Amino acid sequence: MRADISLVNACLLPAYAGRSPADWILRAAEAGLAGVGLFGTNFPPGAGSLREEVTGPLRAVRPDLLIALDEEGGDVTRLDYRRGSVYPGSHALGAVDDTGLTREVGAAIARDLRAEGVNLCLGPCADVNSRPDNPIIGVRSFGDRPDLVARHTAAYVRGVQDAGVAATLKHFPGHGDTRTDSHAELPDVDRDAASLDAVDLPPFRAGIAAGARAVMTGHIRLSRLDGLPATLSRRIVTGLLREQLGYRGVVLTDALEMAPIVRRWGYGGAAVAALAAGADLVVLGATDGEKLLPEVHDAVQEALDRGTLTLERVAEAACRVASLRAWADPGRRAGQPDGPSPAVGLAAARRALWAHRVPRPADGRPLHTVRLATVANLAVGEAPWGLRAPLLGLGALASATDVEPGTDPAAVRAPAGAGPLAVVVRDAARDPWQLAVLRALRARRPDLVTVDMGLAPGGPLPGDAPATLFTRGAGLANAAAAAEYLSGRTWRGPLRT
């Protein structure tokens, strides 16, 4: 039995290369494509408008198209990829532990997305960060306690969807206990059903109860449950998520372009396996999809011919995606207020600061900063971070120095001249190089303050621990809050200009 191309397209979310929609993606949208995933590389240069130059032309072809963006606040942003997010991320919100604030931030992010024509938010992370050295989750999680993560996941979902954007719980059934980054390798999580139920599933239950319109599967293997990655596992997608948790909304995959999936199954094979497992919307990733769509179409047809995939399963998936498109249709949401509302971001970031032995300055002298550059994971990308921009905006920057990763600690010099010194790091506690540079600089400048923009410790520090300001994230809002604290000056006006 042959599958109509539009039926298969109705289950696919590809991306395209370039700053404006390519002709092929416009044709695919006309041919029933479910939606488009946007990335930082798709944003217009300079002051160009995403709505006018990208989402508008897409919606002119198909008004109810799903347009998806990774927008978590904090470290993971696409709207503010060139400046850093004007909202703190989940780690900061979980530390404040005010679900009303979390809901408000979620709604503010969603209003910004709506204003740009985006109707599917690929967030929040419902992962419990139960492994502190997790290389890919970290500050993207609300915390390390299932109850904390559950209540903030539910609040965030409600906030996003209050503003008319569909929220996505990720990465089912929980990416918080992984030692490896699933963009590069397939993590193996040693969880039995009981521990999974106690630790990882409560936030997903809470998000589902809050009405989450979408759930994203993770490219992780729970070998005690199945030998396949969760994305391709019928036991996990259909058995655990659908039957045990009772979820009835859209299940979408994490990007199939991620190495552990595409290297073994390819795009076509992975798409077929995901659909057969119970996924509804197949996310291809940031790779230009012009040549990938025919590969997926052919693989689906071959699977239908062999009987390893049924037309009923594809039609079921397409029907669920159509329901999501109808719910998130921007035309249905006309009259709801759109952004911007970033003031809540700085207010939330201020509340998330943790100052250990860092007094507020009395004189407001400009600061010298040394930033120890780190290699960001692929979820974060190359969004800028550090104190240079906000200190400059406050008129409180004396000098700014970046130190490249791996630089000999003995070769790193403290800035010349008088004035306070802030050394900006990210997750220094688990990076021997950053720790070595900090020791070398502290030997020359015992008065320096460390500003750690990564994961904050889970408990109190010893009284004699070095002076450290924890921002609990590296977004622009986090940086601006730290710059205010260290300079004694107050930010005036919006962060996003």
Side-chain angles (χ1 to χ4, degrees), residues 72-86:
E72 301 173 16
D75 292 40
V76 178
T77 180
R78 302 296 177 257
L79 282 180
D80 292 309
Y81 192 69
R82 296 193 184 101
R83 68 170 67 83
S85 179
V86 297

Side-chain angles (χ1 to χ4, degrees), residues 50-269:
L50 185 69
R51 188 180 195 106
E52 292 178 6
E53 299 182 38
V54 176
T55 63
L58 287 167
R59 295 210 181 281
V61 172
R62 189 167 185 190
D64 68 344
L65 200 68
L66 291 174
I67 300 181
L69 208 60
D70 263 322
E71 196 63 39
E72 301 173 16
D75 292 40
V76 178
T77 180
R78 302 296 177 257
L79 282 180
D80 292 309
Y81 192 69
R82 296 193 184 101
R83 68 170 67 83
S85 179
V86 297
Y87 304 99
S90 296
H91 179 44
L93 295 173
V96 175
D97 198 11
D98 177 344
T99 54
L101 178 66
T102 296
R103 186 169 183 166
E104 190 178 355
V105 169
I109 288 174
R111 286 192 293 270
D112 288 355
L113 292 173
R114 274 177 46 83
E116 295 295 349
V118 176
N119 58 352
L120 178 57
C121 177
L122 300 182
C125 277
D127 307 299
V128 178
N129 196 55
S130 52
R131 181 175 292 276
D133 61 350
N134 189 312
I136 188 63
I137 301 302
V139 296
R140 301 169 66 196
S141 168
F142 290 110
D144 59 5
R145 302 197 325 269
D147 61 326
L148 173 75
V149 179
R151 61 178 173 266
H152 286 279
T153 295
Y156 194 98
V157 166
R158 291 187 177 104
V160 169
Q161 295 189 169
D162 284 348
V165 172
T168 306
L169 306 176
K170 60 185 185 184
H171 308 79
F172 189 83
H175 208 314
D177 191 36
T178 57
R179 297 181 177 87
T180 54
D181 181 352
S182 56
H183 291 85
E185 300 176 52
L186 182 63
D188 205 333
V189 179
D190 186 24
R191 286 265 204 262
D192 59 19
S195 58
L196 187 73
D197 189 66
V199 177
D200 297 294
L201 295 185
F204 289 97
R205 283 198 181 91
I208 290 169
R213 292 284 164 174
V215 173
M216 176 185 284
T217 58
H219 298 332
I220 55 176
R221 179 173 54 217
L222 290 94
S223 52
R224 296 202 197 186
L225 302 183
D226 197 343
L228 289 170
T231 296
L232 311 182
S233 168
R234 182 170 178 80
R235 186 172 299 174
I236 289 174
V237 177
T238 298
L240 183 57
L241 180 55
R242 294 279 188 213
E243 296 173 1
Q244 185 174 324
L245 271 61
Y247 180 62
R248 296 292 177 261
V250 166
V251 176
L252 64 154
T253 71
D254 207 343
L256 297 191
E257 71 178 358
M258 291 162 67
I261 301 298
V262 76
R263 278 196 308 238
R264 179 170 174 184
W265 285 275
Y267 287 96

Side-chain angles (χ1 to χ4, degrees), residues 5 33 38 192 203 241 243 260-261 283 304 321 354 372 399 468:
I5 289 296
L33 196 66
L38 297 181
D192 59 19
L241 180 55
E243 296 173 1
I261 301 298
V283 180
L304 291 170
V321 174
W354 173 16
L372 307 189
S399 71
T468 305

